[in-house]
Amino acid sequence: MNVEARPNLSKVQEARVGIADCDVHPNPTSLEDEVFPFLEQKWRDHIETYGMPQRIGFAGGTQYPKGQPRASRRDSYPPEGGPPASSLSFFREQHLDPHHVDLAVMIPLRIGQALQNMDLAVALCAAINEWQQEFWTRKEPRIKGSIVMAYENASDCVAQIEKHAHKDDFVQISMLSRTPDPLGHRKYWPIYEAAAANGLPVGVHAFGYGGNPPTGGGYPSYYIEDMMAHAQSCQSLIVSMVYEGVFDRIPDMKLIIVEGGIAWLPSLAWRLDKIWEKNRMELSHVKRPPSEIIREHVWLTSQPIEEPDKRQQLVETIDWIGWENVLYASDYPHWDFDDPKRALPVQLTQEQRDGFFRNNAFKAYGLS
Amino acid sequence: MDPKTRAADVRAILPGAVDCDVHPSAPTMTQLMPYLDEYLAESVVNRGIEQLQSVHYPPNAPITIRADWRQGDGDGLARLQAHLLDGIGVGTAILNPLLGVQLLFNADMAAGFARGLNDYTAREWLDRDPRLRSSIVVAQQSPELAVDEIERLAGDKRFVQVLLLVMGDRPLGNQMYWPIYQAAEKHGLPVAIHAGSMYRHPTTGIGWSTFHSQDYAANAVNFQTTLTSLITEGVFSTHPDLKIVMSESGVTWLPSFLWRLDKYWHGLRMLTPWVDRMPREIVASNVRFTLQPVDAPQDAAVLSRVMEHVGTEDLLLFSTDYPHWQFDGDNAVPEGLSDSQIRRMMIDNPMATYPRLSEAAK
């Protein structure tokens, strides 16, 4: 997992063409220096006075202290200072260049998509979209942004999508998985309709503070439980979107699940088919077996990829998911970074390899 | 039913097969009244407490009772005998009574209903058919009161396990619940964790569902988070002889779940140092899964491959989940399980999991 990038050792799985990395996390050196310039003075004052409360008790930080500072690789701090992945030059040096990354999709986190103060969340997300362009996408064409938005306020989300969707800087919209209501809820439909109308996939990254306990049985005690439960939150949001009819209503909708793992999907799809068959009366708006809907509309990014002892079992699992539905992601600079040389250490066909590391992503994002 | 009259494609139920998840019809309040203590019985009347049915299994919903099992003469026991014991032909059936006593907020009232329900089950079901065994229903609201009920009934060997709902106040590995595990371990009682919720929280970590189908699907993800909790919070480190039976949980999610948990354990085990074995080893020694509902497609090759991923034939316990609609006809055993897996799940694994099945009743 936490493997150092080794710029001089690229023979293990040398790619003939560059890869697509569908989840990286550049950070501002500080909100004050890089993001405040895009905020009205009243919001700068507000943040300095009251902070940015979310639906958790701590004024800063997280509910569950992470395994290491900022959940980041200890070698990912730029030599010139600042937090991990805050320096474009070091980002290139440690990740983009040695790993032959042609496309890196940045997903800004810790930026308050679900702040308690909705107006602040709207303003901050708008600022972050400007920051992505100013500090990253315009300076480095290999990096593409994600349109972030205060997703509890659909009308402002639609405005952000329409403002940025036509730009080469952005390849998807981005939401978080732990929402106040499951993502199939009708209050989110205008967001999906706008994304689909503009040809953008909806990326849903694990994390977020929706105000619900992470499990149906309450709050767990430990960080490892919180981390593990992201796979279950992602399963629940797929259940919700399929059963609540999002994909039947919006045929062009593309969903990309980011950082929730992948290998649980076949079991989930089988289960949903069986429950659907028995509840056709309740689910009359769901016209096809859930497994078909999922195969057509849902992509998964690979990190943190499951690691069976018998690696061939992972291949068999991806056979069930569909090879075209899985996208490589590193999660740079976080601690559970998956090195592309080691993310899928199995014998693959050239087509599988090209799809996993590059082509599937370009297709999912509608890039050529 | 004579085996010769079965359709050729129905897998045989072995003589003596143990069905580890069966639901007796819930008693009406009138049926329960004679078994309630005086104060509670008076409360039922004076406060107009008419029923304790959980919304988790709407009485008329398709999964709750299979359509052809809604038919039949006689009371609930007579129908269960006709459909399951004499019909499908299981040798022993372990009853998991589903009445929403766990949903009450008044823990003393819950304990009162649990006592009444257990006594009702003993008199009206266990006394009337020696093929039946039961779980002990407890007030999940209060581990202290739950332990009292376990101690009260532990002497009756027809009670073979303790029943909890998968969605409680806190994840079930939490130390708050350990007294229940200690009492169960002491008496050689596995703890069955069954689908269902106390409805203290939304059924998913991302909020309330729109449809019953979503809530039913939510069970499987909550079995996953519960297994994470039991392992990482140290239940098996402290109670190494405790057996947990995941009931109505599904099982095809297990291999990928363990690939992920083993990986995270490697990366984060310094945060939970009491977990001194790989999670998969803990599951192999301490956790079992009932068969139905089988969350696999019809294709036998797929289930066969999934069972290879599971990697051991020790984990499954045969169940029909009667009368929930999980299969049609007498097809309780899906295609794709090996003959040795079938023998183990019907006979060997239940006998190893439930020491009380080998002991004389009473």
Side-chain angles (χ1 to χ4, degrees):
Chain A
M1 269 186 271
N2 198 359
V3 176
E4 287 182 28
R6 291 179 291 175
N8 297 322
L9 178 64
S10 54
K11 293 292 181 194
V12 182
Q13 275 186 20
E14 190 157 26
R16 280 177 224 167
V17 289
I19 64 172
D21 179 351
C22 300
D23 184 29
V24 298
H25 300 293
N27 288 303
T29 50
S30 74
L31 274 187
E32 290 79 2
D33 288 345
E34 295 191 2
V35 180
F36 274 20
F38 303 110
L39 278 176
E40 284 178 66
Q41 185 62 44
K42 73 165 183 173
W43 291 125
R44 301 180 206 175
D45 295 343
H46 184 103
I47 292 171
E48 282 171 355
T49 310
Y50 299 105
M52 296 161 49
Q54 309 187 66
R55 291 182 175 183
I56 57 170
F58 288 116
T62 65
Q63 289 166 310
Y64 299 94
K66 310 238 180 216
Q68 52 282 95
R70 302 182 66 103
S72 291
R73 288 169 42 166
R74 293 182 197 274
D75 65 349
S76 66
Y77 289 79
E80 65 265 43
S86 63
S87 152
L88 176 57
S89 62
F90 191 59
F91 186 79
R92 286 175 177 142
E93 179 187 328
Q94 191 172 46
H95 186 50
L96 295 183
D97 294 340
H99 295 129
H100 310 291
V101 178
D102 269 359
L103 169 66
V105 178
M106 68 184 287
I107 299 180
L109 298 175
R110 303 160 168 256
I111 42 92
Q113 289 185 273
L115 296 180
Q116 284 187 348
N117 183 323
M118 185 88 73
D119 292 322
L120 174 59
V122 167
L124 203 48
C125 287
I128 288 289
N129 289 332
E130 300 301 330
W131 167 79
Q132 291 183 73
Q133 299 170 73
E134 183 81 13
F135 284 84
W136 297 90
T137 60
R138 287 179 195 149
K139 292 179 174 173
E140 172 51 79
R142 289 176 289 182
I143 298 176
K144 297 296 179 189
S146 301
I147 304 171
V148 296
M149 55 194 66
Y151 43 71
E152 291 306 303
N153 184 341
S155 59
D156 279 291
C157 295
V158 171
Q160 280 295 302
I161 292 170
E162 288 175 352
K163 180 175 182 186
H164 297 298
H166 64 280
K167 299 175 182 171
D168 287 340
D169 302 82
F170 297 99
V171 294
Q172 66 176 354
I173 74 161
S174 184
M175 303 172 72
L176 298 177
S177 61
R178 293 227 178 109
T179 39
D181 288 294
L183 280 174
H185 194 286
R186 63 178 58 221
K187 73 183 180 186
Y188 302 115
W189 293 354
I191 301 173
Y192 308 144
E193 284 163 354
N198 285 283
L200 293 179
V202 176
V204 177
H205 190 286
F207 298 93
Y209 298 110
N212 302 300
T215 85
Y219 285 93
S221 302
Y222 303 111
Y223 173 58
I224 185 172
E225 295 177 81
D226 183 47
M227 287 296 283
M228 280 293 293
H230 286 301
Q232 286 77 39
S233 296
C234 290
Q235 291 175 62
S236 297
L237 76 88
I238 291 175
V239 173
S240 168
M241 292 176 94
V242 170
Y243 279 174
E244 302 200 44
V246 169
F247 302 109
D248 291 86
R249 169 174 289 265
I250 310 168
D252 296 330
M253 166 88 183
K254 293 178 177 177
L255 174 67
I256 302 177
I257 299 287
V258 184
E259 206 176 334
I262 66 169
W264 40 262
L265 188 70
S267 171
L268 178 72
W270 299 331
R271 192 174 315 117
L272 293 191
D273 279 357
K274 289 209 156 181
I275 296 171
W276 173 77
E277 283 164 11
K278 295 180 171 69
N279 290 282
R280 296 295 295 276
M281 182 173 77
E282 186 185 46
L283 302 176
S284 60
H285 53 281
V286 181
K287 304 296 185 195
R288 292 183 295 154
S291 59
E292 282 182 27
I293 294 172
I294 290 169
R295 189 79 168 232
E296 187 173 311
H297 291 278
V298 180
W299 285 259
L300 304 168
T301 66
S302 60
Q303 182 277 342
I305 201 158
E306 288 85 352
E307 296 183 14
D309 279 355
K310 296 176 181 168
R311 295 302 167 95
Q312 191 59 27
Q313 294 179 345
L314 186 60
V315 172
E316 292 163 3
T317 303
I318 300 177
D319 286 341
W320 290 325
I321 297 170
W323 280 92
E324 60 281 13
N325 295 56
V326 182
L327 314 175
Y328 167 73
S330 74
D331 196 29
Y332 182 90
H334 291 153
W335 70 277
D336 42 357
F337 173 82
D338 277 346
D339 188 315
K341 294 190 288 294
R342 295 155 198 277
L344 205 54
V346 291
Q347 205 61 37
L348 300 179
T349 67
Q350 192 62 44
E351 189 183 359
Q352 286 169 337
R353 183 171 301 284
D354 291 347
F356 177 79
F357 282 108
R358 181 185 176 96
N359 296 345
N360 296 344
F362 280 78
K363 197 172 163 191
Y365 298 120
L367 303 172
S368 49
Chain B
M1 189 188 297
D2 185 322
K4 278 173 287 194
T5 65
R6 291 177 190 282
D9 59 347
V10 173
R11 307 292 291 273
I13 303 298
L14 301 179
V18 181
D19 185 342
C20 299
D21 185 28
V22 172
H23 303 296
S25 54
T28 63
M29 199 57 80
T30 308
Q31 290 172 312
L32 205 51
M33 281 292 275
Y35 298 96
L36 303 180
D37 66 57
E38 194 178 346
Y39 175 75
L40 183 54
E42 201 175 296
S43 295
V44 166
V45 174
N46 292 345
R47 300 175 68 180
I49 302 171
E50 294 175 357
Q51 52 94 19
L52 294 174
Q53 178 78 47
S54 169
V55 71
H56 207 73
Y57 293 96
N60 296 323
I63 289 177
T64 305
I65 304 179
R66 205 174 92 177
D68 58 320
W69 287 336
R70 291 179 186 271
Q71 321 296 324
D73 298 328
D75 60 9
L77 174 62
R79 287 197 300 279
L80 182 140
Q81 288 167 327
H83 298 146
L84 181 69
L85 300 171
D86 303 329
I88 290 178
V90 304
T92 300
I94 300 175
L95 304 178
N96 281 325
L98 296 180
L99 187 68
V101 300
Q102 301 91 346
L103 280 64
L104 292 161
F105 286 92
N106 177 337
D108 292 309
M109 179 182 279
F113 275 116
R115 283 193 299 272
L117 178 61
N118 290 326
D119 289 345
Y120 161 86
T121 302
R123 296 293 88 73
E124 306 291 341
W125 292 75
L126 303 184
D127 283 355
R128 291 169 62 195
D129 194 318
R131 294 171 290 185
L132 300 179
R133 299 291 183 273
S134 183
S135 296
I136 301 172
V137 174
V138 297
Q140 193 165 336
Q141 296 87 337
S142 162
E144 188 181 354
L145 294 174
V147 168
D148 288 348
E149 185 64 356
I150 294 168
E151 294 293 342
R152 188 177 77 88
L153 293 175
D156 185 340
K157 302 294 186 184
R158 299 173 303 176
F159 286 98
V160 298
Q161 65 182 357
V162 176
L163 183 65
L164 299 177
L165 298 183
V166 70
M167 292 174 249
D169 281 295
R170 297 188 197 173
L172 293 179
N174 191 284
Q175 293 184 23
M176 148 186 177
Y177 295 108
W178 290 10
I180 296 177
Y181 303 134
Q182 185 174 345
E185 184 185 37
K186 181 177 85 177
H187 291 293
L189 292 160
V191 172
I193 296 174
H194 194 278
S197 177
M198 289 171 69
Y199 288 91
R200 298 302 192 260
H201 314 286
T203 53
T204 78
I206 56 172
W208 292 97
S209 305
T210 298
F211 298 110
H212 162 70
S213 304
Q214 284 170 269
D215 280 336
Y216 192 70
N219 283 308
V221 294
N222 281 288
F223 277 104
Q224 295 165 37
T225 52
T226 296
L227 189 49
T228 306
S229 171
L230 292 166
I231 292 171
T232 62
E233 304 213 12
V235 170
F236 303 110
S237 308
T238 313
H239 305 288
D241 296 327
L242 179 70
K243 292 282 196 295
I244 293 284
V245 177
M246 301 298 218
S247 303
E248 206 174 327
S249 56
V251 73
T252 65
W253 52 263
L254 182 66
S256 66
F257 171 87
L258 287 175
W259 299 340
R260 183 175 168 89
L261 184 54
D262 282 344
K263 174 168 174 166
Y264 274 117
W265 176 79
H266 275 294
L268 294 170
R269 64 191 187 279
M270 65 286 193
L271 307 183
T272 54
W274 47 86
V275 186
D276 53 6
R277 293 187 292 158
M278 298 262 286
R280 82 176 84 147
E281 295 172 26
I282 295 172
V283 168
S285 58
N286 294 83
V287 185
R288 300 294 177 261
F289 300 82
T290 63
L291 176 68
Q292 293 285 357
V294 178
D295 43 2
Q298 292 291 335
D299 184 350
V302 173
L303 181 56
S304 174
R305 186 57 57 84
V306 172
M307 295 314 294
E308 283 174 26
H309 292 190
V310 170
T312 164
E313 295 188 335
D314 294 340
L315 299 191
L316 279 188
L317 302 176
F318 173 66
S319 73
T320 59
D321 195 23
Y322 175 89
H324 296 170
W325 179 25
Q326 308 295 10
F327 56 89
D328 293 310
D330 290 341
N331 291 295
V333 181
E335 294 294 324
L337 297 181
S338 71
D339 288 345
S340 63
Q341 172 69 88
I342 289 172
R343 194 195 71 246
R344 281 171 185 257
M345 75 175 184
M346 288 188 182
I347 313 283
D348 305 344
N349 295 346
M351 297 312 278
T353 303
Y354 299 102
R356 290 175 169 229
L357 292 180
S358 315
E359 298 176 25
K362 284 267 185 183

